[in-house]
Amino acid sequence: MINEAETDELDSEHYAIALGVLVKLMQNECILLDRLQLTASPQDSQVLLFNIFKNGSSDILTEGTTLTRLMHRAQGRAEFHMVMSLLVVLKKFFQISDDLVSVLQGVDNVLIDFNQLVLRLLSQSKITLETYVQFLQQVTEKSSSNSNIVPEDGTIHELTTNALMYLENLLEFADIIGTTLSFTEAGPQATTNTLKYLTTIGQNHAFLENKFGNYLFNAIFALMTNLERKSEVYSEEIRRMIFQMNNIQYILKSIYKYV
């Protein structure tokens, strides 16, 4: 179990595995209960399943909430790369959403708990992704930190390499990020029945890719705006031009790798 007092690491890989195992166990419980016919009525079966699923999912739900809190802390430290951990978990929820909705049919209280968890994960991921774009545009030079001063020879700025590496790591989560950035537009359908929404929106790849593409554009535009402002640190116009040219060329080469 994730202990906030001991770590600020988001152990999403193990959490995602545990999610998959939990769904399998829930499915097996349903099959076993049906075979043994331990209850006198369908209503009694639902009550029994509720008790089993509530206890079985308690730790998973708690740890999921902890992940969002840890991400909030990491964001406060400008450790935006940690959002990858939430995206890994959301990717798993995409994969199991149909099975999870099915196995929790009639066990409404537990289904509501999972819907609320996924909604929190989406909300925190959305905030972090959007805050990163603002960070790219606003991060300023700090004379006390050598890593933030523009290179004397006008070469590629560290912010540029870090930003492109960050954006490159997001590529495998295009559909998840598209959903994360757009789920609030769907209204109650997404905010109330979040798991069911994942099963439907995941089929609209063109829409999600467009949302993700817009995000990449906004991030790169914010980066270039910042670089233009940073170039003003140079006293010589030729050096300002060289700095901008080198960074723009690096950005374009990085983009062309995936076109």
Side-chain angles (χ1 to χ4, degrees):
M1 185 171 177
I2 298 170
N3 188 335
E4 289 183 89
E6 295 178 357
T7 180
D8 268 359
E9 291 297 318
L10 281 67
D11 192 2
S12 57
E13 294 289 349
H14 287 90
Y15 183 81
I17 292 171
L19 274 175
V21 171
L22 177 64
V23 173
K24 289 294 183 185
L25 289 174
M26 286 178 168
Q27 291 172 328
N28 289 338
E29 288 288 350
C30 288
I31 294 171
L32 186 61
L33 186 61
D34 184 58
R35 286 178 180 174
L36 296 178
Q37 296 184 344
L38 298 176
T39 55
S41 68
Q43 290 76 18
D44 291 340
S45 295
Q46 296 301 331
V47 172
L48 182 56
L49 284 175
F50 168 76
N51 291 327
I52 294 172
F53 291 170
K54 187 71 174 177
N55 292 330
S57 61
S58 176
D59 286 347
I60 283 284
L61 292 166
T62 300
E63 290 182 30
T65 301
T66 299
L67 285 173
T68 62
R69 285 200 295 267
L70 292 176
M71 183 64 251
H72 180 72
R73 291 182 190 173
Q75 180 183 311
R77 300 190 299 268
E79 296 176 0
F80 295 101
H81 65 281
M82 300 294 280
V83 76
M84 307 298 171
S85 295
L86 292 196
L87 296 176
V88 166
V89 174
L90 284 171
K91 184 176 183 178
K92 189 62 179 181
F93 270 115
F94 259 84
Q95 295 168 348
I96 66 172
S97 58
D98 200 29
D99 288 339
L100 191 54
V101 169
S102 177
V103 78
L104 292 177
Q105 192 73 34
V107 193
D108 294 342
N109 287 342
V110 179
L111 180 58
I112 288 171
D113 289 341
F114 274 101
N115 276 324
Q116 290 176 343
L117 171 59
V118 176
L119 183 59
R120 283 193 290 271
L121 290 167
L122 286 170
S123 298
Q124 182 58 60
S125 298
K126 184 176 191 292
I127 291 170
T128 301
L129 289 165
E130 291 176 344
T131 302
Y132 180 70
V133 174
Q134 297 171 13
F135 169 82
L136 282 180
Q137 188 164 0
Q138 297 171 3
V139 63
T140 57
E141 301 302 331
K142 298 177 183 178
S143 58
S144 60
S145 174
N146 290 332
S147 63
N148 284 332
I149 299 175
V150 293
E152 291 184 7
D153 56 358
T155 52
I156 300 164
H157 197 283
E158 183 181 20
L159 178 64
T160 304
T161 55
N162 289 342
L164 269 295
M165 186 182 304
Y166 174 86
L167 296 176
E168 182 178 340
N169 288 334
L170 295 182
L171 294 176
E172 67 173 292
F173 301 105
D175 282 2
I176 289 88
I177 293 173
T179 303
T180 298
L181 296 172
S182 63
F183 78 95
T184 54
E185 301 170 10
Q189 176 190 1
T191 56
T192 304
N193 301 310
T194 313
L195 283 167
K196 191 170 182 61
Y197 176 71
L198 294 186
T199 65
T200 55
I201 192 63
Q203 301 170 15
N204 195 345
H205 296 292
F207 172 78
L208 297 178
E209 287 179 356
N210 183 60
K211 285 291 182 181
F212 179 60
N214 287 339
Y215 177 78
L216 293 180
F217 175 83
N218 291 335
I220 292 172
F221 182 81
L223 172 62
M224 293 180 68
T225 300
N226 196 328
L227 291 171
E228 183 177 359
R229 188 170 64 250
K230 289 182 186 302
S231 70
E232 296 173 2
V233 172
Y234 296 106
S235 57
E236 301 173 3
E237 183 177 357
I238 185 64
R239 191 160 293 186
R240 288 198 293 270
M241 294 175 63
I242 291 173
F243 173 74
Q244 291 186 43
M245 181 186 68
N246 284 334
N247 282 273
I248 290 173
Q249 185 179 41
Y250 180 84
I251 292 170
L252 291 175
K253 283 184 177 180
S254 299
I255 293 173
Y256 287 150
K257 285 195 303 184
Y258 301 98
V259 174

